[in-house]
Amino acid sequence: TMYRKVEMHKGLEEFKADSNALLVDVRNPAEYNGGHIPGSINFAMSRILKEAEEAFPDKAQPLFVYCQSGARSSRAGKLLDLMGYENIVDLGGIASYNGPKE
């Protein structure tokens, strides 16, 4: 498996270059609805253990994860790694993102 931490904007360039990749916001729905990175999907940290394998069946699919400050994305990334996901990129917190939000 592969878990790595990458600087937010460099990671987003990597994400955009891979049409198979998913950008996953692991904050709660209220935080997500308050403003998120365009193209991201919301999958709260609390759902990972129970629902990730159903939501993301292809464990080779690149998953780019982020949260608010970087703490949850780190936990989520390590958890996904333990669950057998092979390509997890931790972008840290949206606090370090200065692009447009939706």
Side-chain angles (χ1 to χ4, degrees), residues 8-23:
M8 173 65 79
H9 294 90
K10 182 177 177 293
L12 285 172
E13 284 177 23
E14 231 183 272
F15 161 70
K16 287 174 184 154
D18 187 340
S19 60
N20 188 39
L22 290 179
L23 180 58

Side-chain angles (χ1 to χ4, degrees), residues 54-81:
E54 191 181 334
F56 315 119
D58 177 3
K59 291 195 174 181
Q61 182 177 36
L63 300 177
F64 288 74
V65 296
Y66 74 90
C67 63
Q68 188 62 41
S69 68
R72 280 174 287 180
S73 65
S74 175
R75 285 208 304 275
K78 288 167 185 164
L79 194 55
L80 289 163
D81 183 52

